[in-house]
């Protein structure tokens, strides 16, 4: 009669894993380059930047209004002077953003004319 012996399977995990052939990336055919499309995309990007600047300017206006209200109701003259200085600083920031908006708007108009 034969007896069954347990089978011991040893695996060597230190061996390098199986290397498969690298996948060849498939490139989709590119449409011919059209400069007008690039100009339209540039105009759209400038439009997004202008919208973001308007949103930031709006938030600064709200901050300036809140500080001005606080300064109006402030009794302490030193604190009132500090708050008024902050209003002036925020107002300068708003003016800088408005100048940037004018520049961006003129860039947008120029890019739309050429597109």
């Amino acid at each position: 009669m034969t007896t069954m012996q347990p089978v011991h399977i040893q695996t060597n995990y230190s061996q390098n894993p199986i290397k498969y052939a690298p996948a060849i990336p498939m490139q989709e055919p590119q449409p011919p380059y059209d400069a007008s499309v690039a100009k339209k995309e540039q105009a759209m990007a400038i439009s997004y930047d202008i919208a973001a600047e308007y949103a930031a300017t709006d938030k600064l206006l709200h901050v300036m209004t809140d500080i001005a209200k606080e300064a109006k109701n402030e009794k302490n003259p030193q604190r009132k002077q500090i708050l008024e200085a902050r209003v002036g600083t925020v107002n300068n920031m708003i003016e800088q953003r408005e100048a940037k908006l004018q520049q961006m708007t003129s860039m947008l108009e120029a890019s739309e004319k050429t597109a």
Side-chain angles (χ1 to χ4, degrees):
M1 196 161 140
T2 60
T3 60
M4 297 190 65
Q5 297 291 326
V7 177
H8 296 287
I9 300 174
Q10 289 185 333
T11 55
N12 187 356
Y13 291 108
S14 65
Q15 291 177 349
N16 291 334
I18 298 172
K19 293 183 180 177
Y20 297 99
I24 299 172
M26 298 297 292
Q27 287 188 344
E28 295 181 17
Q30 297 291 327
Y33 178 75
D34 188 6
S36 66
V37 172
K39 289 179 182 179
K40 287 178 184 177
E41 289 176 354
Q42 182 182 13
M44 188 177 293
I46 294 171
S47 298
Y48 286 133
D49 290 342
I50 289 173
E53 283 296 320
Y54 272 117
T57 304
D58 184 54
K59 287 192 185 279
L60 282 174
L61 282 170
H62 288 292
V63 168
M64 187 176 75
T65 304
D66 292 341
I67 295 171
K69 285 179 184 177
E70 188 178 344
K72 182 180 176 183
N73 296 330
E74 185 61 44
K75 304 278 191 241
N76 186 352
Q78 290 177 338
R79 176 141 170 84
K80 186 172 187 169
Q81 189 177 17
I82 291 171
L83 291 172
E84 288 172 352
R86 287 183 184 166
V87 168
T89 302
V90 174
N91 190 31
N92 289 337
M93 293 169 65
I94 291 171
E95 288 174 359
Q96 290 173 356
R97 287 198 180 263
E98 287 175 347
K100 186 177 179 182
L101 277 166
Q102 289 175 354
Q103 181 184 15
M104 292 170 72
T105 305
S106 64
M107 285 175 48
L108 178 63
E109 289 172 357
S111 67
E112 286 178 342
K113 285 180 184 176
T114 60

